[in-house]
Amino acid sequence: MKCLLLTIFCFGQLASLCAAKHIADGVEGIEGHIPRQREISRYMQHQVQANNFTNNESLQRIRAHRAEDVRKGFQHAWRAYKKYAFGADEINPLTLEPLTTRNGWGATLVDALDTIHIMGLHDEFEEAAEKVRQIDFEKNDGEPSKVFETNIRYIGGLISAFELSGNRMFLKQATSLADIMLEAFDTSTGIPWQMWDVQTGTGSSEAGPSTLNNLAEVGSYQLEFFRLSQLTHDPSYHKAAQRVFDVLLDSNEPRKGTPYSVPGLYPVFLDIKTGKFVNGKPNLGGGSDSFYEYLIKTWALSGFRLQRNLDLWLESLRSIKKYILSRGSDQRLYMAVGDDEGLDSISDTFTCFFPGTLALASRLLNDNETLGIAHDLLMSSYNTFSRMPTHLGPENFGFLPEGDSDSDLLESQRAEIKKYGFYLDHPYYLMRPEVIESIFYFYRITGDERYADWIWQIWQGIKVNCAVDGGYAGLRDVRIGRRGGLIGKQESFVFSETFKYIYLAFATPDVISLDDYIFSTEGHPFKRSTSFNGTF
């Protein structure tokens, strides 16, 4: 009997150990280090948000006026969406047509939920919630789903709406959709397909019949899936997201002369069948951006327990500082494209998220040197907006590295570098949030009112140049404004990110404090207070 009991006990202990290993993926660092409570407690003492905001009555009235102005701007866009396209993915703000761009499930509806809640629009929130309740994620428009976008817009939006409102319907819908998307991870490596057809259960690449995917679209599930595992006590979501990192680390060794030549600087494209990087120079822009962003943010959301995330972030940051950051001829610090083989002095607005994320990381780690670098990057990012007469910045821009000859540049590019410090490659503006996002982080981290003033100037530029009957349209050329033409595009991130960050710059600083929340790459706030002890 004792032997039987001992056998049962030992089997139970073994099962517990296996389960612990199964659900705690990522807790062990690259070198095998597992964080101790003393380390975790030290990180928890680091305050992110400033406590020195100016609070005189005059400034409080200005903030309140500005917050209300932004709120009215949001309501203008939401009323048009509700009237002409309620439940559709998007509305064309120029023609007022409903658009199906994200499988017809209502991307704008879901992406906007937490912004509506934060702004205190209670009736609009309840009406939107009822519409969300009716979504059937097993049916779509017949087109494959982009798995990454489905995660950040739908699953992230639903999780945040649940955390803010407590309405479990949102969690049920998030879980339902995540279970469908988990099928896309059922590959030979565990790295997900880029596209997934929910009706046929088949995967594909956006480029067609291939097994290519990109860095951001395989490595940006950690935050949402970690939180979903916490909320459901089901480790499968977290395990799927962390499995991607297992494979990438096991399948790729940095080696000079190969696409992956610098530790922590990852090429853009990879093959999901092998897990190996294929090509695409490392950068912080589209196709890569949120991969790096989620390393540090998921570590923070885990209560500083996912040591591997921190290790990978620090390794990447060392290489980014050495190979990606470059001074321009205007002495500003830019983010370029490159590795140890050389640098391309071209950038895009997506990279402009990085100063804010870097500033957040500097406070989480109490690293003032890195905060200084983040500020230098913010200045070059904001310069792309502030130097334009519209106060809005271009989609892509280039710069001349300090000491380089400008002989390879066009005459028009040389003229713009002389005038602005950079040249415009793609001069249109699609209401993207990244510059605003980074300025918001600096405002909340420093308490310096000049950053809020910068955001107010950008908001004035949006109202003057982009406001139309159907909401806010894109601008074809930020150098000349409306007379250069508008673009009939208003993606769901306008509601989830652009409006949210502008509004929060003028709301009282305790509203979605950076000490209480971590923002996803789509601007969805997740609570930092949800405890994690290494198991689910």
Side-chain angles (χ1 to χ4, degrees):
M1 182 67 178
K2 285 183 179 179
C3 290
L4 177 60
L5 289 173
L6 181 61
T7 301
I8 293 172
F9 173 77
C10 291
F11 180 78
Q13 290 292 96
L14 179 61
S16 297
L17 288 170
C18 290
K21 179 175 176 55
H22 174 73
I23 62 182
D25 296 359
V27 170
E28 185 176 310
I30 294 176
E31 303 296 332
H33 175 67
I34 296 176
R36 298 186 179 185
Q37 188 57 47
R38 183 172 54 194
E39 298 172 67
I40 293 168
S41 297
R42 187 176 71 250
Y43 289 128
M44 286 182 171
Q45 293 173 8
H46 296 164
Q47 184 173 330
V48 175
Q49 191 158 291
N51 55 12
N52 62 334
F53 292 93
T54 305
N55 283 314
N56 63 66
E57 288 186 14
S58 174
L59 190 54
Q60 286 179 350
R61 285 194 297 270
I62 291 172
R63 284 186 191 139
H65 164 74
R66 290 179 172 183
E68 182 58 25
D69 189 66
V70 177
R71 191 171 180 260
K72 287 179 179 177
F74 177 92
Q75 287 176 297
H76 163 69
W78 185 254
R79 280 193 295 268
Y81 171 71
K82 180 182 165 185
K83 182 176 181 179
Y84 299 106
F86 199 41
D89 291 333
E90 296 174 14
I91 179 176
N92 182 319
L94 299 181
T95 65
L96 307 181
E97 295 174 281
L99 302 175
T100 299
T101 56
R102 303 289 174 196
N103 299 107
W105 293 322
T108 292
L109 174 72
V110 175
D111 233 357
L113 285 167
D114 50 15
T115 305
I116 295 171
H117 192 279
I118 290 166
M119 288 184 174
L121 303 172
H122 304 298
D123 292 344
E124 290 88 341
F125 186 79
E126 291 304 320
E127 191 173 20
E130 184 54 39
K131 195 75 172 176
V132 170
R133 189 187 308 274
Q134 300 168 21
I135 300 174
D136 182 354
F137 289 115
E138 293 186 351
K139 299 177 182 177
N140 68 1
D141 64 343
E143 294 295 321
S145 302
K146 199 166 190 183
V147 186
F148 161 77
E149 298 288 357
T150 301
N151 175 56
I152 65 172
R153 300 185 195 228
Y154 287 107
I155 297 174
L158 290 164
I159 291 172
S160 181
F162 164 68
E163 291 207 313
L164 291 174
S165 71
N167 186 337
R168 295 194 68 84
M169 177 274 295
F170 294 123
L171 179 59
K172 181 179 178 181
Q173 287 286 59
T175 306
S176 171
L177 181 55
D179 287 343
I180 295 171
M181 289 299 113
L182 271 184
E183 297 175 20
F185 288 75
D186 187 16
T187 64
S188 58
T189 59
I191 298 177
W193 288 98
Q194 188 173 38
M195 312 294 293
W196 186 253
D197 192 317
V198 302
Q199 294 177 330
T200 65
T202 55
S204 61
S205 170
E206 193 172 30
S210 78
T211 52
L212 286 183
N213 206 335
N214 65 57
L215 189 64
E217 294 190 39
V218 304
S220 301
Y221 299 92
Q222 296 182 71
L223 204 72
E224 292 85 359
F225 279 22
F226 172 80
R227 179 44 47 89
L228 196 57
S229 283
Q230 283 187 298
L231 295 173
T232 62
H233 304 292
D234 181 349
S236 59
Y237 310 108
H238 174 69
K239 181 175 176 62
Q242 289 291 330
R243 170 66 179 160
V244 171
F245 287 80
D246 295 341
V247 175
L248 290 181
L249 292 173
D250 290 344
S251 304
N252 297 278
E253 206 51 56
R255 193 168 68 251
K256 192 169 180 62
T258 69
Y260 179 39
S261 60
V262 177
L265 275 191
Y266 305 103
V268 178
F269 298 104
L270 56 106
D271 188 335
I272 70 168
K273 286 178 67 175
T274 64
K276 291 187 177 298
F277 291 113
V278 177
N279 55 37
K281 276 192 173 184
N283 67 86
L284 297 170
S288 298
D289 45 8
S290 51
F291 175 91
Y292 298 101
E293 178 185 4
Y294 273 18
L295 292 178
I296 191 69
K297 287 186 172 181
T298 308
W299 172 70
L301 195 70
S302 74
F304 313 110
R305 289 187 179 274
L306 294 181
Q307 182 67 33
R308 181 168 67 176
N309 274 64
L310 177 60
D311 291 349
L312 291 173
W313 165 262
L314 293 173
E315 180 180 65
S316 292
L317 185 56
R318 285 191 292 269
S319 295
I320 287 168
K321 289 177 179 179
K322 186 173 182 179
Y323 294 106
I324 297 294
L325 306 188
S326 174
R327 289 281 171 193
S329 57
D330 61 353
Q331 295 302 303
R332 290 185 174 89
L333 189 63
Y334 289 91
M335 295 163 279
V337 175
D339 51 25
D340 59 344
E341 295 294 320
L343 180 132
D344 296 331
S345 53
I346 192 74
S347 195
D348 61 34
T349 192
F350 294 105
T351 66
C352 297
F353 86 93
F354 193 65
T357 296
L358 194 58
L360 171 66
S362 75
R363 301 317 304 139
L364 292 170
L365 295 165
N366 197 26
D367 179 1
N368 288 329
E369 179 187 352
T370 295
L371 182 61
I373 295 172
H375 182 263
D376 285 351
L377 293 173
L378 178 71
M379 296 305 290
S380 66
S381 298
Y382 176 57
N383 189 56
T384 64
F385 276 59
S386 65
R387 296 303 303 272
M388 296 297 107
T390 56
H391 298 294
L392 304 174
E395 181 83 353
N396 291 67
F397 56 92
F399 65 96
L400 180 66
E402 183 180 22
D404 279 14
S405 168
D406 63 1
S407 59
D408 291 336
L409 297 177
L410 301 174
E411 182 58 39
S412 60
Q413 293 172 334
R414 288 196 290 269
E416 287 190 332
I417 285 176
K418 186 176 181 179
K419 184 176 182 179
Y420 306 128
F422 62 92
Y423 66 87
L424 289 79
D425 191 37
H426 295 148
Y428 57 86
Y429 176 64
L430 295 176
M431 293 283 295
R432 294 202 191 277
E434 287 80 8
V435 170
I436 301 166
E437 172 188 351
S438 282
I439 300 171
F440 161 75
Y441 272 103
F442 267 86
Y443 174 58
R444 285 291 188 88
I445 285 171
T446 67
D448 189 333
E449 290 297 326
R450 67 173 164 155
Y451 299 120
D453 289 340
W454 290 0
I455 291 178
W456 181 248
Q457 288 298 319
I458 293 172
W459 171 234
Q460 299 312 298
I462 289 172
K463 288 196 298 180
V464 169
N465 294 283
C466 302
V468 293
D469 289 345
Y472 297 85
L475 198 61
R476 292 195 180 278
D477 194 327
V478 295
R479 295 168 295 195
I480 55 178
R482 292 180 83 105
R483 62 187 172 87
L486 298 173
I487 302 170
K489 189 69 173 170
Q490 182 182 249
E491 287 209 45
S492 64
F493 60 68
V494 174
F495 296 85
S496 68
E497 296 184 80
T498 308
F499 269 110
K500 185 183 285 111
Y501 289 125
I502 296 174
Y503 177 78
L504 287 175
F506 309 116
T508 56
D510 61 322
V511 177
I512 314 295
S513 166
L514 296 180
D515 288 309
D516 298 330
Y517 290 88
I518 289 289
F519 286 95
S520 76
T521 194
E522 190 73 4
H524 297 304
F526 296 163
K527 291 180 179 177
R528 291 180 61 187
S529 58
T530 304
S531 62
F532 177 59
N533 64 2
T535 65
F536 296 105

